[in-house]
Amino acid sequence: MSEHQPSPDMSVSDTLPGKLLKAEREHQGLSRDEVATQLNLRPSLVDDLERDHYDQIPIAAYRRGYLRAYARLLGMDEKAVVGQYNAQFGTTEVERHPPAMSPSVRPPGKLGKYLFRLVSLLVIAGLIGLSYVWWQSGDYGRTSPSETSDAAAPAADPRKLTLTFNTDSWTDIRDADGKKLLYGTNPPGSSKTLEGKPPFKLTIGKSAGVVLEYMNEPVDLKSATRGTVAKLTLGE
């Protein structure tokens, strides 16, 4: 995929960061709701960022973090966007902190240290157990009877799609009946095989890191990508 091209008529040096982000989002054809879903933020908060209204984000570090994540999603220069925020608000922003507390705290004794270690080990063991259950409940690493019987030449099925994610990617994939086959963020290293009624409508974020196959053939996402998001229809 080609390098990021900023939207026309925008200058980082004299534009508020929220205005820069909004212009680039519209340039890439993304809706505010799509951005909110990919960033796991409320749409109203994305709207506040684009309007440079930061009253609902009292901690300056969070403001910069949200702006940085938004810029990264759009493939923009994160340092430039955050630097523009610092230039506009960095010297005047006032953070609201809860009142400082100075309770008298005794250092933990040996029993406290042992309990802390025990709790930590239990938490780690629980996470490992949940990860194993999650892995077993999915389709990762499994093969269907048809694949084992005819692994060398599987028949092309117009009802199936296969996606492999080399980076974290947000997707919205629906079939002809409007059924959501895959919706949300997919972690790197994962793969999905979807089945539904063609034609399929696909929206794939960070498409440069995604491999899509349909009818046993790879699909070129570059020609359907605008910015970092690919939008296309398959099986018509």
Side-chain angles (χ1 to χ4, degrees), residues 171-184:
T171 57
D172 184 354
I173 301 176
R174 310 185 186 206
D175 67 2
D177 295 329
K179 179 181 178 182
K180 291 183 180 180
L181 303 181
L182 187 61
Y183 187 87

Side-chain angles (χ1 to χ4, degrees), residues 66-110:
Y66 291 152
L67 291 171
R68 186 178 291 108
Y70 197 166
R72 187 185 305 120
L73 174 66
L74 299 178
M76 299 175 66
D77 187 338
E78 304 168 25
K79 293 182 179 180
V81 173
V82 174
Q84 186 61 18
Y85 170 85
N86 292 335
Q88 298 290 339
F89 305 100
T91 59
T92 60
E93 64 188 6
V94 177
E95 296 186 3
R96 300 194 296 271
H97 298 284
M101 301 292 291
S102 57
S104 176
V105 180
R106 294 181 180 179
K110 291 184 177 180

Side-chain angles (χ1 to χ4, degrees), residues 14 17 25 27 40 73 86 92 94 147 152 154 188 234:
D14 59 1
R25 172 180 63 77
H27 177 63
N40 292 321
L73 174 66
N86 292 335
T92 60
V94 177
E147 291 173 332
L234 293 176

Side-chain angles (χ1 to χ4, degrees), residues 9-136:
D9 302 326
M10 297 301 297
S11 173
V12 173
S13 61
D14 59 1
T15 306
L16 293 173
K19 188 175 181 180
L20 285 171
L21 294 169
K22 179 181 180 181
E24 183 58 26
R25 172 180 63 77
E26 293 175 345
H27 177 63
Q28 294 189 20
L30 293 172
S31 69
R32 188 176 290 111
D33 288 342
E34 287 176 322
V35 168
T37 299
Q38 295 190 48
L39 294 178
N40 292 321
L41 297 176
R42 301 188 309 274
S44 61
L45 184 54
V46 174
D47 182 66
D48 286 342
L49 291 174
E50 292 186 347
R51 293 189 298 160
D52 294 290
H53 290 176
Y54 302 104
D55 292 341
Q56 300 302 317
I57 313 173
I59 300 177
Y62 287 177
R63 301 173 186 173
R64 295 186 180 94
Y66 291 152
L67 291 171
R68 186 178 291 108
Y70 197 166
R72 187 185 305 120
L73 174 66
L74 299 178
M76 299 175 66
D77 187 338
E78 304 168 25
K79 293 182 179 180
V81 173
V82 174
Q84 186 61 18
Y85 170 85
N86 292 335
Q88 298 290 339
F89 305 100
T91 59
T92 60
E93 64 188 6
V94 177
E95 296 186 3
R96 300 194 296 271
H97 298 284
M101 301 292 291
S102 57
S104 176
V105 180
R106 294 181 180 179
K110 291 184 177 180
L111 179 59
K113 292 180 180 179
Y114 291 147
L115 289 175
F116 176 78
R117 292 177 181 176
L118 177 60
V119 171
S120 299
L121 290 174
L122 290 175
V123 171
I124 293 173
L127 291 175
I128 293 175
L130 289 175
S131 300
Y132 179 78
V133 172
W134 171 78
W135 180 270
Q136 291 296 320

